Amino acid sequence: MSITLQCGCGKTLKVDEKYCGKTVKCPACGVGVLVQEASDTGVQADAPTKPSVAIDDGAAPKRRKPLERPAAKGSSKVLYIGLGCAVAALFGCLIGGSGAGWFVYSSVKETERKRIADEEKQRKEQRRRDEQADSVNNLKQIVLALHNYESAHRRFPAAGMPAQFNPNGPPILSWRVHLLPYLEHEQLFVQIRLNEPWDSAHNRQFWSKMPSIYQLPGKPNDGKTYYQVFRGNESVFPDKGSIRITDITDGTSNTLAIVEAAESVNWMQPTDIPFQLNQPKLLDRVGNHWGDDTFAAAFCDGTVRNLRRTMQPRILEALITRAGGEVAPID
C-alpha cells in the first residue's frame, strides 16, 4: 500500500506506508513532509506501485540541463587544415630564413674571397715592382764595373775572353768572369784559372759560386744568369776582339750594353745573345720575366731603363748597333 501526500509546493508524493509517521523529503523543493494515514490527510491511497519512494515529476518544475556546445560540423577537418597551414608557414619561414642566411653567408664569403684575391694581387704586383727594381740595381752595378774595367784596360772586355797566353785564340771565359775584381769579388777571381776554359775540371767548381749580382731577382741561383750582352760585329761586343768607348759613335746614351735575356746561360760560359743586322724575332731574345712585356737594359752611359718588347724591331736594332748612325726614339 502507498500513501499519497501533497507537499506545500504543490508536488504530489506517493510514499510506502512503512514510512507512516516519518518525515520524507520532497524531491521538488527539498522540504520535509510528514507521512500520515489516508484517514488523517483525507487523501485516498492508491495501490502500491514501488517499495520505495516514487516521485511523480509531472507537476514539479524540471531542472535545466547544463548547456552543451554543439560540435561544429567538420571541426576535425578545420583543425587539420589549420595545423597544416601552421606547419607550412613554419617550414616556409625555416626555408626562407635559411635561404636568406645562405645568401648572406655566400655574400660574406664572396666579399672575403674578393678581398683576399685583391690583397694577393697587390702582393704580387708589389713583389714584381721590387724584383724589377732589384734587377735595375744589379744592372747599374754591372755596367759601372764595365766602365771601371774600360778605365783600367782602355777598352771593354771581349764577350768571350781568350786565354791570357793566347790573345788571338778561341774564347774560353765570359766577360762576366773578368768583371769580378770590379764587383768586389777579387777572392773568387784569383781562384779561377784564366788560361783554362769555363768547363775545365778546375773551373767547374765555381759554377755554383756565381755572385748574387748576376742572379736575376725571383730566379734561383743555379749558376746560370740572364744578364747578357748582344754579341755581333756591329754591337759593343764584337765576335772577335774588343772595342774602346770612343768606338761608340752613336753615343753611349743611345747604345745598349747589357740586357735581361729571355734564356739563361752558365755565368762563366762565353755565350750571350747573338746579333746580326735584320735578324728575325730579335725581340724574342730579351726579357719579359715579370709578364708585363718589358725588359731592363743598361746603356753604355751607365743608365738603366725598362724597355718594352712591343717596340719595333728596327728600334731595338738601332739601340744595339754602336755606329749605325740611326736615331732611336727610345722614349
Side-chain angles (χ1 to χ4, degrees):
M1 295 291 290
S2 62
I3 301 173
T4 301
L5 302 177
Q6 185 76 33
C7 180
C9 68
K11 178 67 175 177
T12 300
L13 307 177
K14 290 182 180 181
V15 185
D16 193 273
E17 63 180 356
K18 69 179 181 177
Y19 293 100
C20 183
K22 296 181 180 181
T23 301
V24 297
K25 190 175 182 180
C26 176
C29 62
V31 177
V33 180
L34 180 63
V35 179
Q36 298 179 358
E37 290 290 341
S39 57
D40 295 333
T41 58
V43 179
Q44 298 293 328
D46 296 331
T49 56
K50 292 183 180 179
S52 58
V53 177
I55 302 175
D56 183 7
D57 294 336
K62 294 183 179 179
R63 293 184 180 181
R64 293 184 178 179
K65 294 183 180 180
L67 295 176
E68 296 181 359
R69 180 174 296 175
K73 295 182 179 180
S75 59
S76 298
K77 184 177 181 181
V78 174
L79 177 61
Y80 292 148
I81 293 175
L83 288 175
C85 292
V87 171
L90 178 60
F91 184 73
C93 290
L94 292 175
I95 294 298
S98 62
W102 174 253
F103 176 77
V104 173
Y105 174 78
S106 300
S107 299
V108 172
K109 291 294 290 184
E110 182 62 28
T111 301
E112 183 66 11
R113 283 194 295 268
K114 187 177 184 302
R115 182 187 65 81
I116 294 174
D118 289 342
E119 290 180 354
E120 180 62 22
K121 183 179 179 181
Q122 292 175 3
R123 283 193 294 268
K124 288 182 178 180
E125 179 64 20
Q126 185 60 49
R127 183 166 61 247
R128 179 187 67 81
R129 289 195 295 264
D130 292 343
E131 290 176 351
Q132 285 182 307
D134 291 340
S135 183
V136 167
N137 186 59
N138 287 347
L139 283 171
K140 286 181 178 180
Q141 295 183 58
I142 296 172
V143 75
L144 177 60
L146 187 68
H147 275 276
N148 291 335
Y149 182 99
E150 196 275 339
S151 297
H153 298 273
R154 302 303 180 188
R155 62 181 51 248
F156 291 116
M161 297 291 289
Q164 286 183 326
F165 65 83
N166 186 13
N168 295 322
I172 60 174
L173 290 169
S174 170
W175 58 271
R176 291 174 287 266
V177 173
H178 287 264
L179 286 189
L180 289 176
Y182 306 94
L183 292 169
E184 301 181 355
H185 288 283
E186 294 90 347
Q187 292 184 357
L188 176 60
F189 180 72
V190 297
Q191 296 179 64
I192 298 174
R193 293 179 181 176
L194 302 181
N195 288 325
E196 295 183 9
W198 67 280
D199 57 351
S200 69
H202 174 80
N203 287 341
R204 282 175 177 270
Q205 63 181 306
F206 305 110
W207 288 4
S208 61
K209 297 182 179 181
M210 181 182 74
S212 59
I213 194 71
Y214 290 142
Q215 177 186 358
L216 187 71
K219 301 293 184 179
N221 192 338
D222 55 359
K224 294 185 177 182
T225 182
Y226 289 88
Y227 296 124
Q228 300 173 37
V229 300
F230 289 98
R231 183 173 177 173
N233 292 329
E234 291 80 13
S235 72
V236 176
F237 293 88
D239 291 327
K240 293 183 179 181
S242 59
I243 67 166
R244 293 170 295 190
I245 195 169
T246 54
D247 293 328
I248 307 175
T249 58
D250 282 350
T252 56
S253 62
N254 297 319
T255 307
L256 290 176
I258 309 163
V259 298
E260 295 172 347
E263 302 293 335
S264 62
V265 297
N266 186 290
W267 76 278
M268 299 179 67
Q269 184 178 2
T271 301
D272 291 89
I273 304 173
F275 170 73
Q276 60 184 1
L277 295 176
N278 302 316
Q279 180 175 334
K281 298 183 179 180
L282 182 61
L283 284 164
D284 292 343
R285 306 301 298 269
V286 293
N288 192 30
H289 294 288
W290 290 276
D292 58 352
D293 257 347
T294 66
F295 65 99
F299 287 75
C300 289
D301 65 347
T303 61
V304 179
R305 308 176 189 178
N306 282 317
L307 303 180
R308 296 190 178 277
R309 295 173 73 248
T310 54
M311 72 172 72
Q312 296 181 17
R314 64 177 182 81
I315 296 178
L316 180 58
E317 184 177 285
L319 294 174
I320 296 172
T321 57
R322 67 180 186 272
E326 312 96 337
V327 177
I330 59 175
D331 291 339

